[in-house]
Amino acid sequence: MPRVVSLFLPRWPTDRLRRKSPGSAPPADVPLVLIGRSGSRRTVTAADALAESAGLHVGMPATKAQALVPGLAVLDADPAGDADTLHRLAVWALRFSPMVAPDPPDGLVIDTTGADHLHGGEEAMLRALVERFAASGIEAQVGIADTWGAAHAAARHAGAAMVIIEPGRTRPALAGLRLAALRLPDRMRSDLHVLGFSTIGELAGQPRAPLTLRFGPQLARRLDQAFGDVPEPIEPVRSPDLVEVRRTFAEPIGAPETIRRYSGKLVDALIAELEGRGLGARRLDLLFGRVDNRWEAIRVGTARAERDARRLTRLLAERIETIDPGFGIEVMTLTASLAEPLGARQVISSLVEEEEPDVAGLYDLIANRVGERSLYRFAPVASDVPERSVMQIEPLALDDGASWVDHWPRPSRLLARPEPVETMALLPDHPPVWFTWRRQRRRVRRADGPERVFGEWWKREAEAATVRDYFCVEDDAGERFWIYRAGDGEHPETGSHRWYLHGIFA
């Protein structure tokens, strides 16, 4: 089942302007509109949130907008610049899927079929998209569905920043949305409202022949595209900077073994191109152009830059079974969508030295099955605060020699969040006599501490005076825990003086 993401940028022109030219753009607290020409009239083509809250909207005459809002910032619209930047955003979004295309004037469309698991699932992928744009000062809304039309409608008209339409639930999900979600011309929507139609569900239940006779084929086509009865191909964007090889067939192919054989030939050709540039592939996209103008895609990644033909061919061959060739494939394109410099390296330095085992191939196989985010290892961070002293890195990342502090013992399991416990302890320096955690009371038999950890004042002003006093405690059953008191036990500005359990020793 195909899955398509529609990314909607509701205030794209104004957000782009503020992000591109923060010095020349008006301050963030000044309403901003962009003005363009509609025939001989100058009208509002885009408005930011402040301008919309003041009652301005797209299509309003420019003179009326300036009269309604004193001090309004007015700039000329730049449709060509918006389109060019949207295209570059589509190229950037290739990191999420090999099938990305601009959806002018204010969005992107991404076919994520078979690629969402590489990003931790659909919800995690959509959240990452929204957060990436928010970090750049651009408001974004996303929707995912079985079709481009349904995802487009969900992102723009469902009333939420992130909408997931489950597979097979397209019709009921769209039934209550307004007719504007169908991407119909304004005149057609107005005529449909006059006839009494207000939602997609009301329109979908009507006979098609009278509607086609009255409005032409576009109305029925938009309904069929939204429901998946008629395909709506996505023409993926490509960047001239990417290393790419292509194979066109005089006769369409469809057998898995034939696809596998030509995949190997494309890998050989791509490796020759990469070698000439001194690069190695970190991510490969294999696109299949079908005779019905639809595209299928395979994406695989590697732990490090590779030019090993057998390894890359094997990774692609494992995903070929997910491809639906339809009535045949007439074009195959293999792209190194992520490449890094790769030079010659020496495997062993002497005749007596044993070669270290290479687990990169095993990592690649597992990561392409369960997702790259599912595999990681922990590395130390220079921080005294326990939850900040560790980070996730790639399994095969180089070791920089850093290590954790070893003058105090650390638990083998650190809780994701410190959990509050009830205790009785003599302040300021004594450990608890007992503590209750998860409804179980434990008597402390032995204890060691306190180890005082100070807040990191250079990161947050609120931590300038805060401290924690950690204790290693052992209960009657021999289980050992890592607990702390928030504060020094004397001064209220150092913490709440409540107790928490932060880790468990093996």
Side-chain angles (χ1 to χ4, degrees):
M1 177 79 66
R3 298 293 283 169
V4 181
V5 171
S6 178
L7 178 72
F8 173 44
L9 309 174
R11 297 179 180 88
W12 165 238
T14 55
D15 285 348
R16 181 185 77 87
L17 182 65
R18 291 190 186 275
R19 180 177 180 272
K20 179 183 177 182
S21 306
S24 59
D29 57 349
V30 176
L32 170 65
V33 297
L34 302 184
I35 302 299
R37 286 198 172 274
S38 177
S40 60
R41 301 173 58 207
R42 298 183 74 240
T43 60
V44 175
T45 61
D48 67 0
L50 287 177
E52 289 181 351
S53 64
L56 308 186
H57 58 84
V58 175
M60 176 181 288
T63 53
K64 182 177 180 180
Q66 290 175 301
L68 287 176
V69 182
L72 177 68
V74 177
L75 297 175
D76 291 332
D78 182 16
D82 293 338
D84 179 67
T85 309
L86 195 65
H87 182 273
R88 286 189 277 114
L89 275 180
V91 174
W92 168 86
L94 287 172
R95 66 188 63 193
F96 290 93
S97 170
M99 301 281 289
V100 183
D103 190 6
D106 52 14
L108 303 176
V109 58
I110 309 171
D111 188 335
T112 61
T113 307
D116 59 297
H117 73 284
L118 298 175
H119 306 281
E122 289 183 348
E123 185 175 352
M125 179 181 61
L126 297 184
R127 187 177 296 109
L129 270 169
V130 174
E131 290 175 353
R132 290 285 184 91
F133 279 91
S136 300
I138 299 175
E139 182 182 351
Q141 298 173 198
V142 291
I144 185 170
D146 295 339
T147 65
W148 181 352
H152 186 280
R156 289 160 174 78
H157 301 279
M162 187 173 70
V163 181
I164 299 177
I165 299 180
E166 299 296 333
R169 299 288 300 169
T170 300
R171 288 180 181 272
L174 297 184
L177 298 184
R178 297 173 299 168
L179 294 180
L182 281 179
R183 298 174 290 171
L184 299 174
D186 294 340
R187 179 64 181 273
M188 187 181 297
R189 290 204 311 270
S190 177
D191 292 344
L192 288 169
H193 281 298
V194 171
L195 294 177
F197 297 107
S198 59
T199 65
I200 295 177
E202 295 172 351
L203 191 62
Q206 299 299 314
R208 294 292 180 86
L211 292 175
T212 303
L213 183 63
R214 171 68 176 81
F215 297 101
Q218 184 179 14
L219 176 58
R221 184 171 64 251
R222 286 303 193 192
L223 280 170
D224 291 338
Q225 287 174 341
F227 296 144
D229 298 328
V230 171
E232 189 173 7
I234 297 174
E235 186 68 31
V237 67
R238 311 314 297 165
S239 170
D241 299 328
L242 298 178
V243 184
E244 183 176 276
V245 293
R246 183 183 180 95
R247 183 73 178 250
T248 304
F249 304 100
E251 294 291 335
I253 64 173
E257 56 274 12
T258 306
I259 297 174
R260 190 174 292 108
R261 184 171 67 254
Y262 282 106
S263 298
K265 293 181 179 181
L266 285 174
V267 168
D268 292 336
L270 184 70
I271 287 177
E273 291 286 336
L274 290 171
E275 191 170 3
R277 304 189 189 189
L279 300 174
R282 283 291 310 274
R283 186 169 60 221
L284 293 181
D285 294 335
L286 182 55
L287 277 65
F288 305 86
R290 304 189 339 181
V291 295
D292 58 358
N293 203 28
R294 284 189 56 183
W295 288 85
E296 299 277 334
I298 292 174
R299 164 165 286 184
V300 297
T302 60
R304 59 192 180 203
E306 285 288 348
R307 285 204 302 260
D308 188 329
R310 291 184 59 186
R311 179 176 295 178
L312 297 178
T313 302
R314 181 182 178 186
L315 293 176
L316 291 172
E318 284 212 337
R319 305 285 298 167
I320 286 177
E321 62 183 15
T322 64
I323 294 300
D324 177 14
F327 295 105
I329 295 170
E330 57 183 3
V331 177
M332 288 176 61
T333 302
L334 181 62
T335 305
S337 54
L338 179 60
E340 295 178 353
L342 176 64
R345 60 188 179 92
Q346 187 170 344
V347 179
I348 57 175
S349 58
S350 71
L351 296 178
V352 297
E353 182 180 353
E354 293 185 3
E355 183 178 356
E356 295 183 2
D358 185 4
V359 298
L362 176 62
Y363 166 81
D364 294 341
L365 287 174
I366 298 176
N368 285 286
R369 291 177 182 177
V370 303
E372 298 175 358
R373 295 176 180 265
S374 301
L375 299 178
Y376 55 85
R377 65 182 177 90
F378 292 112
V381 177
S383 176
D384 290 330
V385 181
E387 59 267 31
R388 298 176 187 166
S389 64
V390 63
M391 66 177 178
Q392 295 179 3
I393 63 174
E394 294 183 358
L396 302 183
L398 296 177
D399 189 357
D400 59 2
S403 62
W404 285 281
V405 294
D406 56 1
H407 53 275
W408 283 93
R410 289 291 182 261
S412 56
R413 177 191 172 194
L414 194 70
L415 300 183
R417 297 177 182 272
E419 298 184 11
V421 296
E422 296 179 5
T423 63
M424 184 177 70
L426 182 63
L427 297 179
D429 296 326
H430 289 266
V433 178
W434 55 264
F435 67 93
T436 301
W437 177 54
R438 295 183 180 178
R439 301 182 181 180
Q440 184 175 354
R441 181 165 175 167
R442 302 172 184 270
R443 181 175 176 270
V444 176
R445 185 176 180 182
R446 296 185 180 89
D448 186 21
E451 173 195 356
R452 179 156 293 180
V453 174
F454 292 90
E456 297 178 335
W457 53 267
W458 58 92
K459 291 185 177 179
R460 294 176 55 202
E461 292 184 6
E463 297 184 25
T466 58
V467 298
R468 294 178 185 176
D469 282 345
Y470 279 87
F471 293 86
C472 301
V473 300
E474 181 180 323
D475 65 5
D476 287 331
E479 296 183 84
R480 295 188 299 158
F481 303 90
W482 205 37
I483 65 177
Y484 74 86
R485 181 186 62 237
D488 61 3
E490 297 181 276
H491 305 95
E493 66 271 13
T494 61
S496 64
H497 293 164
R498 295 188 60 186
W499 290 83
Y500 298 86
L501 191 145
H502 203 173
I504 302 173
F505 290 90

